[in-house]
Amino acid sequence: EIVPAAMRGRMYGINNIIGLLATTTALLAASWILDELTGLSRFMMLIGLGVGAGVLCVLLAFPIPGGAPGRLRETAHWAAMREALADRRLVLYLSYTALTMVAMQIFSAFVPLLMKEEIGLPSSRIVLLEVAGSAVGVLSSYGWGWWSDRRGTRPLRLVLLLMGLLPVLWMLLPRQHEWSFFGALIIAFVAGATYNGWWITDQRMLYVDIVPEERRTEYLALYYAWIGLVGGCGPLIAGPLLDASADLQGRWWIVPIDAYTPLLVGSILAVASSFVLLQRLRARLADTPPPLQRDPHVA
């Protein structure tokens, strides 16, 4: 309701920069408090700061324009959501998103364990990898938003190609080697740009190309329910798979084989399937007119 469709990519980029900087500042402040204070008081202070920040957030949200209720409809909500599921574009989008999210959950949850247990990096250097990824995310966010505003869904193809390349690079990373950290650092740079690029370009496609202005309630209800379900099921599937392959050891040509190899191979397959679905979705978007988006500056 507030941001015109023509500049939503840049808005997501700026919003992502602010979010990453705020998160980094909060983590640094929390780390300092935990180091300087002792006993239960340090945790009480962190909880108090969190509650205060939440209250301030609510107060600052009151002046934001928009949010008025939509027009009253006679159609039942369940029937409206069934009608939304009849939209082939939405079904393709939800399918592609699910596969991409599963791959990203594997990356975020299990790659730090891979770095520690197989690559041999200490915890302090693993934290540096996360900081490096966040730094690249801040630097690249506006560029992704600017590109998606001008090229629509085209940047998503590059994002998914990079995302599919990440597991290959992790599998080829030398184990227990003096150059392991520098190789992991380069991959962290690519991963940081890729993660943020996917979120920015994907969200722009959702709100500009998929969701119609007059039916956003049922479309977004389905979207948030779906990503919540996928977000909860992904680790439940990946965790038992990692346990089942715990004793896997070996080597295939130049690729080390270990307990994390099935997860990384599975993530490659998930991203490849996601890329195919994205291509089908882009073809369908090209054949159908985009949903009507109201200009917030026009009364």
Side-chain angles (χ1 to χ4, degrees), residues 70-154:
R71 60 183 178 85
L72 183 63
R73 297 176 308 183
E74 297 180 358
T75 307
H77 288 291
W78 288 110
M81 285 192 283
R82 284 196 298 270
E83 292 176 6
L85 284 175
D87 185 347
R88 187 65 176 170
R89 297 175 306 176
L90 178 63
V91 174
L92 285 171
Y93 173 81
L94 294 178
S95 302
Y96 129 84
T97 302
L99 291 169
T100 308
M101 286 187 63
V102 167
M104 292 190 66
Q105 286 174 339
I106 292 174
F107 299 161
S108 61
F110 297 103
V111 167
L113 295 176
L114 170 68
M115 294 295 113
K116 182 176 182 179
E117 296 179 359
E118 300 295 336
I119 306 301
L121 299 182
S123 299
S124 58
R125 291 202 163 184
I126 295 175
V127 172
L128 287 178
L129 295 179
E130 296 179 0
V131 172
S134 297
V136 174
V138 170
L139 295 175
S140 64
S141 290
Y142 189 82
W144 286 114
W146 178 87
W147 191 15
S148 63
D149 278 338
R150 280 155 179 76
R151 295 296 184 178
T153 60
R154 185 174 298 179

Side-chain angles (χ1 to χ4, degrees), residues 19-44:
L20 287 172
L21 291 176
T23 301
T24 302
T25 302
L27 290 174
L28 291 175
S31 177
W32 182 84
I33 290 173
L34 292 175
D35 288 339
E36 294 297 323
L37 301 181
T38 58
L40 189 61
S41 60
R42 53 182 179 170
F43 299 104
M44 297 301 295

